């Protein structure tokens, strides 16, 4: 599988580029599909330049057109461009990120119960000793947590 590369831009633009591409792929949109979904407000070429990091300061009008077309809250994209805390202040544990944010898994938004199950999986992985003597037990425990999560999201 070919690894996709995003050229380095400035500030939050790398995250912005990743988010645009992620949500576009999640919605199974081609560049042209996203242009059409934006009502033609954002051209396929412009979207490509955003995703590749060649363009990193879209107007608020274009951001709002993209968020509407991608069916995501505008704060998701705007936040990546405006969030200017220093690197240490922006660091969160994965569990904190999972708790503090709303996100989709597949086509559905995860509620608090499902988030908690996902957090238990992440924390189990983090806290596992993963030694030759504990690996089998920890894999079994992880599979049980995954079963609980899959059952909740089905």
């Amino acid at each position: 599988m070919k690894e996709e590369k995003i050229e380095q831009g400035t500030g939050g633009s790398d995250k912005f580029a990743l988010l645009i591409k992620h949500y576009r792929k999640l919605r199974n949109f081609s560049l042209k599909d996203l242009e059409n979904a934006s009502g033609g407000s954002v051209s396929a070429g412009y979207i490509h330049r955003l995703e590749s990091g060649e363009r990193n300061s879209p107007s608020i009008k274009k951001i709002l057109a993209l968020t509407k077309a991608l069916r995501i809250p505008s704060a998701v994209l705007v936040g990546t461009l405006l969030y200017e805390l220093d690197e240490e202040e922006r660091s969160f544990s994965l569990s904190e990120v999972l708790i503090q944010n709303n996100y989709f898994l597949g086509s559905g938004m995860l509620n608090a119960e499902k988030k908690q199950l996902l957090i238990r999986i992440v924390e189990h992985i983090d806290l596992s000793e993963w030694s030759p003597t504990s690996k089998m037990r920890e894999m079994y425990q992880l599979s049980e947590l995954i079963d609980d999560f899959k059952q909740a999201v089905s």
Side-chain angles (χ1 to χ4, degrees), residues 3 8-9 21 51 53 67 76 82 89 124:
E3 186 176 327
Q8 295 298 312
K21 185 173 244 175
E51 289 183 357
T67 59
V76 171
L82 301 178
E89 290 181 60
H124 177 79

Side-chain angles (χ1 to χ4, degrees), residues 1-7 18 21 24-25 51:
M1 185 169 150
K2 181 180 161 190
E3 186 176 327
E4 294 175 354
K5 184 178 177 185
I6 293 184
E7 296 174 17
L18 286 170
K21 185 173 244 175
R24 180 174 64 80
K25 299 242 181 220
E51 289 183 357

Side-chain angles (χ1 to χ4, degrees), residues 137-151:
R137 176 179 38 84
E138 290 167 345
M139 281 193 326
Y140 177 77
Q141 291 169 338
L142 180 59
S143 71
E144 291 290 310
L145 292 171
I146 292 170
D147 284 345
D148 292 345
F149 179 73
K150 292 295 285 182
Q151 197 169 48

Side-chain angles (χ1 to χ4, degrees), residues 82-141:
L82 301 178
Y83 199 46
E84 298 195 8
L85 297 175
D86 68 36
E87 199 60 38
E88 189 172 302
E89 290 181 60
R90 282 191 279 153
S91 299
F92 301 100
S93 73
L94 182 54
S95 295
E96 289 171 321
V97 170
L98 293 173
I99 291 167
Q100 294 176 7
N101 294 285
N102 292 322
Y103 43 88
F104 292 93
L105 184 64
S107 62
M109 183 78 79
L110 292 188
N111 62 23
E113 174 195 357
K114 294 171 187 172
K115 282 184 183 183
Q116 185 59 40
L117 292 168
L118 186 56
I119 291 165
R120 287 178 58 207
I121 292 169
V122 169
E123 290 176 347
H124 177 79
I125 292 168
D126 180 45
L127 298 173
S128 292
E129 183 182 322
W130 207 253
S131 68
T133 58
S134 69
K135 192 183 295 189
M136 291 301 290
R137 176 179 38 84
E138 290 167 345
M139 281 193 326
Y140 177 77
Q141 291 169 338

Side-chain angles (χ1 to χ4, degrees), residues 53-77:
E54 294 172 35
R55 179 81 190 192
N56 57 22
S57 56
S59 69
I60 194 70
K61 182 179 175 184
K62 290 193 186 300
I63 293 171
L64 294 175
L66 287 169
T67 59
K68 184 176 180 182
L70 293 168
R71 300 183 311 270
I72 58 174
S74 57
V76 171
L77 293 181

